[in-house]
Amino acid sequence: MPARQKYLMSALVFLFPFCATAEENRLWYDKPAQNWMKEALPIGNGQMGAMLFGGVAKDRIQFNEESLWVGNEDDTGAYQNFGDVYIQFDEEASVEKPGSLEDSGGVVIYRRELDISKAVSTVTYAKKGIKFKYDAFASYPAKVLVFRYSADKAGALSGIVSLVDAHGAGTAASGKTLTISGAFPAYKYDGGKEWLPLNREARVRVLNQGGKVEAANGKISFSKADSITVLLAAGTDFQQARSRNWRGQMPHDIVTARLDSAEKYGYEKLLKEHIEDYSLVFNRVKLDLGGKKMADVATDKRLLQYQAESPDIGLEELIFNYGRYLLISSSREGGLPANLQGKWNHSNNPPWRCDYHTDVNVEMNYWPSHPANLSDCFMPFSAWLNSVRAVRTDATKKAFNIRGWAFRGESGLFGGSTWEWVPGANAWLVQLLWQHYEFTGDKEYLKTQAYPAMKEVCEFWIDRLKPLPDGTLVATDGFSPEQGPKEDGVSFDQQQCWDVFNNTIEAAGILGIDKEFRDELIAKKAKLLGPKIGTWGQLQEWMVDRDSPNNKHRHLSHLVAVYPGRQITPETTPDLAKAAAVSLTARGDDSTGWSTAWKINLWARLRDGEHAHRLFRYLIRPCGGEQMANEGGGMYGNLFDACPPFQIDGNFGFLAGVCEMLMQSRLAPPDNKDFQAEIFLLPAMPAVWSDGSVKGLRARGGITVDIEWKKGRVTDYRLKGDKKCKVKVHVNGETKMESA
Ligand code: FUC
């Protein structure tokens, strides 16, 4: 073996002792990131997010804090960038003696990776005979981001750490701490109105092992350190309470306390605590789809190769697991919901305001939360929706003078909502609250967090419906996002109205409350204009049969009854399901990232696993586009889904879609004595997943489901109810009754 190759081999063993362990849950690359959107890697603890570049001479960490928004109760505003941390290495001081590497001038065997089973990112490389390692993670228990830079040679690290505010505030340096702080009295998005001023603060602390650290000129220098640990904490004075004008404590004390306790705790303990916390959530689900797995190919190259004839099934598993990683990293209990980019945003004027879009996007973010066993990660959405109900009630009264509440297409932290009214979105939002009950069986949640919101949405629809001459009820002045005329009886509105009435009728029954109101809903639901089949066999998008078979619009609003709703199913309404398939076929396969993800879920519900899987080719295709565009999504090298540009709903919609292909579930009507839930095992299996297993999916009724299969047929399964229950199981073409 030539000397150089031999060296590389031994260095690889030194640098990557972990290679022997599970590779399947790693994204990895052989060069530093240049581009934020396509290459940098995300970490997050729900409250904060960071994008890591893994730079060698100069590293960059761009970061966010979830409440850093501009906006108010009238205007969506926009989610903001917080800032960057830079670590600039002083090469002269870092490398005193060139080492023995043949190419001592350059960096060799560079590897940048993200282990999504531990939520730790690592960069390793050798330079001039010294081996360097950077580790990064975002701790949910400690509410800090932690970065460690180390080398295998004592005193090898010298350089400067700087902290740069994205809104132009200066940086104060004192001792080993950097601080940026300020308010947004004057910052305006799109030249709009004054915003409520939010106070913000971020602090960085640099701890050295060996050598020394000192503050100078707004920066911190470190010299001759063996390693340095950089801690980052940030916050604002946002409080999720309209009654307090959305303002709480100034962030300084809490940010400082987080840094102080993280410093006392120390790197090793922080890491251990983080991995324990994260892996408890991540390890709930395990997926093996069989087939080829090309984990030894760098992730960006793997994405390019995926289009080859025999697909890399391991990449499909990785993207499934990455969806879970992204939801855990951007939506933890006690915090705010994941927005259009989760929590990762490097712009103060981001695409579509990086907001909570109500006409599919924020809903899609939370579609997988329950089936993928992340019901706790759902709670931020629930808390946000309930926090802005009163704001929306006032705005709705002002606009329409009716009860209840509704949203426009865009919406923000303080309940401000802009762009067109999307009446049907309110039912879509509360459907998720109802689903939290369906999947957990938590009646207290249903009573206090879900039902009051569902009832208000029903009131909105009761007031907005109007009878046709024959008594049929239609929703007035509706909108099929984001197209078509505004008119009565739009299918999206009819289906959403049916869904919220149906869910609320069941909820009131389960809670044993509101009998009169429930009776009113039952009567109204029976009179609602139902889904209609048009001249070319399609499911009509409008009351008038005017759908064009050439309409390729990305929104699939007239199919909400198929997924995520339950008004249309192949078993209960086969003709409508067939019409839905006609419409879906006409819409075509190629679309934006999130639209493709939705189609996967729809084909899964229509029990066509091959078609669902065919869509993976569109979703998992390399995407170069960064500009705002609405057609032709794909994925960037860092596996962020592209609308384009980056939009996280596609990642989450894909995760939901795979769950839906493997298992579907329904609650039995509350008065059914024979069984409480119905489960479909492998309802939409593509042939390429012939042998495999999944553990830990969640079904409605609070049931955890494990499935094993060979040649597409179930060979074993386990159902474990949170409470004892009876389940009707559809498996291998048979129906069985089981106890769970
Ligand atoms: C909806 C979609 C767009 C985009 C935006 C954030 O308006 O129609 O494609 O995803 O949300």
Side-chain angles (χ1 to χ4, degrees), residues 571 664-668 675-680 699-700 726-730:
E571 293 80 24
Q664 294 173 23
S665 64
R666 293 182 202 146
L667 272 191
F675 58 93
Q676 285 76 52
E678 200 174 349
I679 293 182
F680 297 77
R700 288 173 172 81
K726 287 258 180 285
V727 187
K728 187 172 176 183
V729 183
H730 301 270

Side-chain angles (χ1 to χ4, degrees), residues 146-203:
V146 183
F147 309 91
R148 190 174 63 172
Y149 295 83
S150 58
D152 71 342
K153 180 173 180 290
L157 299 176
S158 297
I160 286 168
V161 180
S162 50
L163 171 63
V164 179
D165 182 57
H167 293 87
T171 307
S174 157
K176 50 197 176 183
T177 306
L178 297 170
T179 307
I180 49 179
S181 63
F184 292 130
Y187 187 81
K188 288 173 192 172
Y189 176 80
D190 272 358
K193 299 175 209 122
E194 284 289 329
W195 309 118
L196 297 162
L198 256 183
N199 292 290
R200 69 183 186 284
E201 180 156 328
R203 307 195 85 189

